[in-house]
C-alpha cells in the first residue's frame, strides 16, 4: 500500500506511568523525520542508534532509536521507535513536540495494528491472535495466541476456501453447457473433494470448544449449606486469605472472587453465601446472589459437610436451585464421613479443605472436569465463537450443495459452494471485515 495520503501516527506503546523504559512508536511516511526534530540522525533501515535527543539546546533524554523501512515493519510503513526512560516528563516532552509537527497525529487505539492489517501484514485471525496475546494470563493462552498469529486457522481456511472456489468454478462452467452430460468421473471427483472438506471441517468443529475455553476462561461457583467450608476451600485454592472463615454459620454474604490457573485455563472462582432457610434480609439477599452466580457458572461446585449426616438432604436442596453442571465435594473428611452409602463415586470427591494434598487433588479434578478430553494444549484452531459460526455455516452449505443434482441444477450447487467460501472468507477478514475491526482493535489500548 502506498504511504502517500496517510498521516504519520505516533503513540506511547508502553503502559502509562513511571517505568525504567518507555517506547514511543511512530508509523507513516514522516516517521524517519522524527529524530531530526530533536537534533539527531535517523538510523539506517533495520539499524538502531544511541542518541541524545535535544530540544531548545537542552538534553531531554538519551535514547535508543530504531528505524524500519516500509514495507518491512509491523505496519507495513516506515516505523521509528524511541526507547526512552519511562519518566512522565520525558514522555510528555517528546509527545508534545512530535504532535506539534505538521503531518503527525496521535494514534487512535489499535491504529498501528489496523495499518498492519490494511497493508496485508496480518489477516483478521492474526489480529485476533495478537489481541489474545496481549490479554493472555496463562502459558497455554499465550501458546494458543501465537498459533493464531502464525496462521493455525488462516492456513487451512485459505486452502479450504481455494478448493471451494475451484469446485464452484467447475460447476459454473457446466451451466454454459447445460445440454451436455457431466461425465460421471467428474461428478464423482467433485463429490469426493466435497466430502473430504466436510470431514476436515467436522474434525475441527468437533473439538469440544477447547479453544474458546482456553481463550475465554471458565467460571466455577462454590455453593452449599452454611459452614460447609466453602470459604476455606476458596482460600486454599487462592493460597491466601481472600474470604473470612469462621465457625459461625452465615459468615459469607457478598460474593468473593479469585482467579486461578486451572491447567492452563484461566478460571474465576466465586465463593457465595451459604444456603439455609432461617436468615435475615441481608443474608437472604446473599443467598439470592449465590443462586444467581450458580446460574452463569460453567461448573457449580457443591460443597457439603461430609461429617454432617444431613448432607444428602442438603445436596438435594441445592440440586433444586440450579440446573448447571455440578460436581459435589464432601468436605471435612478429616472428621469422618457420615452417610457414606449416599455418596455417588463418579460425581463426588471427599476432601479435607485443611489438607493441602487434597486441595491439589481438587485442582487436578477441576482441570479435568472443565477441559474436554483434557487437552488444553493450544492445538485447537477455533478460538472464537465467530470462527465456529463461520465454519458451521460453511459446513451446512456443503451439506446443501451435495443434496443438489449436479447434472440438472449445477447453478444451485455452485451457489451453495459460494456461500461456503464466503463464510470461510469472513474468518480471515477477506469478507465483511469492517464491523469486526472496531471490537477487536479496542484490545490495543496500551498507553492511551
Ligand atoms: N475439621 C475441618 N474443619 C473445616 C474444614 N473446612 C472448613 N472447616 C471449618 O468449618 C468452619 C466453617 O468454614 P467456612 O469456610 O467459613 O464455611 P462456609 O461454607 O464458607 O460458611 P458460610 O460462609 O457461613 O456459608 C470453620 O470453622 C472452618 O475452619 C475441614 O475440611 N475440616
Ligand atoms: Mg463462607
Amino acid at each position: 500500500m502506498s504511504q502517500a495520503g496517510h498521516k504519520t501516527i505516533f503513540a506511547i506503546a508502553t503502559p502509562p506511568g513511571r517505568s525504567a523504559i518507555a517506547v514511543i512508536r511512530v508509523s507513516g511516511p514522516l516517521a524517519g523525520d522524527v529524530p531530526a526534530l530533536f537534533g539527531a540522525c535517523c538510523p539506517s533501515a533495520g539499524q538502531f542508534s544511541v542518541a541524545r535527543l535535544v530540544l531548545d539546546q537542552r538534553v531531554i533524554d538519551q535514547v535508543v532509536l530504531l528505524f524500519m523501512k516500509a514495507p518491512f515493519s509491523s505496519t507495513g510503513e516506515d516505523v521509528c521507535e524511541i526507547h526512552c526512560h519511562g519518566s512522565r516528563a520525558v514522555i510528555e516532552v517528546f509527545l508534545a513536540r512530535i504532535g506539534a509537527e505538521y503531518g503527525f497525529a496521535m494514534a487512535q487505539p489499535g491504529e498501528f495494528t489496523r495499518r498492519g492489517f490494511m497493508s496485508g501484514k496480518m489477516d483478521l485471525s492474526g489480529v485476533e491472535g495478537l489481541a489474545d496475546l496481549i490479554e493472555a494470563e496463562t502459558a497455554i493462552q499465550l501458546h494458543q495466541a501465537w498459533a493464531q498469529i502464525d496462521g493455525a486457522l488462516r492456513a487451512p481456511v485459505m486452502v479450504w476456501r481455494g478448493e471451494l472456489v475451484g469446485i464452484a468454478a467447475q460447476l459454473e462452467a457446466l451451466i454454459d453447457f447445460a445440454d451436455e452430460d457431466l461425465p460421471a468421473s467428474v461428478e464423482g471427483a467433485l463429490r469426493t473433494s466435497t466430502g473430504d472438506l466436510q470431514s476436515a471441517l467436522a474434525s475441527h468443529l468437533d473439538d469440544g470448544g477447547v479453544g474458546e475455553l482456553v481463550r475465554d476462561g471458565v467460571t466455577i461457583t462454590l455453593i452449599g449449606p452454611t459452614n460447609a467450608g466453602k470459604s476455606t476451600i476458596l482460600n486454599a485454592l487462592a493460597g491466601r486469605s481472600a474470604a473470612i472463615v469462621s465457625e459461625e454459620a452465615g459468615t459469607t454474604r457478598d460474593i468473593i472472587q479469585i482467579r486461578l490457573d486451572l491447567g492452563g485455563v484461566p478460571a474465576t472462582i466465586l465463593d457465595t453465601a451459604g444456603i439455609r432457610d432461617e436468615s435475615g434480609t441481608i443474608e437472604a439477599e446473599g443467598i439470592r446472589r449465590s443462586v444467581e452466580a450458580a446460574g452463569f457458572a460453567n461448573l457449580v461446585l457443591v460443597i457439603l459437610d461430609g461429617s454432617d449426616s444431613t448432607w444428602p438432604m442438603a445436596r438435594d436442596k441445592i440440586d433444586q436451585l440450579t440446573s448447571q453442571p455440578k460436581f459435589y465435594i464432601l468436605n471435612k473428611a478429616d472428621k469422618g464421613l457420615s452417610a457414606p452409602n449416599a455418596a455417588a463415586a463418579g460425581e463426588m470427591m471427599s476432601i479435607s479443605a485443611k489438607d493441602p494434598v487434597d486441595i491439589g487433588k481438587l485442582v487436578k479434578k477441576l482441570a479435568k472436569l472443565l477441559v474436554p478430553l483434557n487437552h488444553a494444549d493450544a492445538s485447537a484452531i477455533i478460538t472464537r465463537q465467530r470462527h465456529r459460526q463461520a465454519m458451521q455455516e460453511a459446513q451446512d452449505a456443503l451439506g446443501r450443495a451435495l443434496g443438489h443434482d449436479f447434472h440438472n441444477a449445477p447453478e444451485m450447487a455452485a451457489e451453495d459452494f459460494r456461500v461456503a467460501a464466503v463464510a470461510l472468507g469472513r474468518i480471515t477478514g477477506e469478507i465483511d471485515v469492517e464491523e469486526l475491526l472496531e471490537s477487536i482493535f479496542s484490545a490495543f489500548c496500551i498507553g492511551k
Side-chain angles (χ1 to χ4, degrees), residues 18 55 118 170 191 216 222 230 268 292 319 381 415 420 434:
R18 289 165 64 231
L55 200 60
M118 292 303 180
Q170 287 191 56
R191 287 191 180 271
D216 301 334
L222 308 186
K230 300 177 294 298
T268 303
E292 189 179 66
D319 281 350
I381 64 170
E415 176 56 22
E434 268 307 317

Side-chain angles (χ1 to χ4, degrees), residues 186-389:
V186 173
E187 171 161 12
L190 289 182
R191 287 191 180 271
T192 305
S193 311
T194 310
D196 291 346
L197 270 169
Q198 280 184 311
S199 311
L201 287 171
S203 72
H204 290 290
L205 284 167
D206 186 25
D207 60 3
V210 71
E212 288 114 310
L213 212 62
V214 167
R215 196 182 90 81
D216 301 334
V218 293
T219 302
I220 300 172
T221 298
L222 308 186
I223 197 165
T226 52
N227 248 352
K230 300 177 294 298
S231 301
T232 310
I233 291 174
L234 180 92
N235 290 348
L237 291 171
R240 66 189 162 89
S241 181
I244 299 173
V245 164
S246 98
E247 60 209 9
E248 207 174 289
T251 305
T252 307
R253 304 286 177 90
D254 276 334
I255 287 175
I256 295 156
Q257 132 175 4
I258 61 155
R259 295 282 282 173
L260 198 67
D261 179 345
L262 267 185
V265 176
T268 303
I269 320 267
L270 305 176
D271 179 24
T272 63
I275 308 291
R276 64 170 170 180
D277 289 332
E278 67 287 359
S279 57
T281 332
I282 298 170
E283 199 179 344
E285 171 60 15
I287 293 171
R288 192 194 64 73
R289 292 181 186 199
S290 304
V291 176
E292 189 179 66
F296 59 72
N298 298 86
L299 179 74
V300 174
L301 203 56
V302 181
I303 314 293
L304 303 160
D305 180 347
S307 69
D308 179 342
S309 61
T310 63
W311 71 257
M313 275 81 84
R315 174 192 55 190
D316 295 346
K317 189 170 171 188
I318 304 282
D319 281 350
Q320 310 282 316
L321 296 177
T322 172
S323 56
Q324 293 301 97
K326 290 184 224 39
F327 187 72
Y328 302 86
I329 300 293
L330 292 180
N331 190 31
K332 308 198 186 182
D334 53 298
K335 287 169 76 179
L337 188 58
S338 204
N341 293 339
E347 51 178 23
M348 261 187 189
M349 184 177 178
S350 68
I351 65 163
S352 168
K354 301 198 168 181
D355 182 349
V357 176
D358 281 2
I359 293 298
K361 284 186 193 155
L362 174 60
V363 170
K364 282 212 180 91
K365 182 73 192 173
L366 291 177
K368 228 175 177 167
L369 283 170
L370 285 162
V371 182
L373 314 173
N374 200 21
H375 72 202
D377 57 0
S379 65
I381 64 170
I382 298 176
T383 60
R384 292 176 187 242
Q385 189 58 29
R386 77 166 197 93
H387 303 159
R388 188 169 297 284
Q389 270 166 0

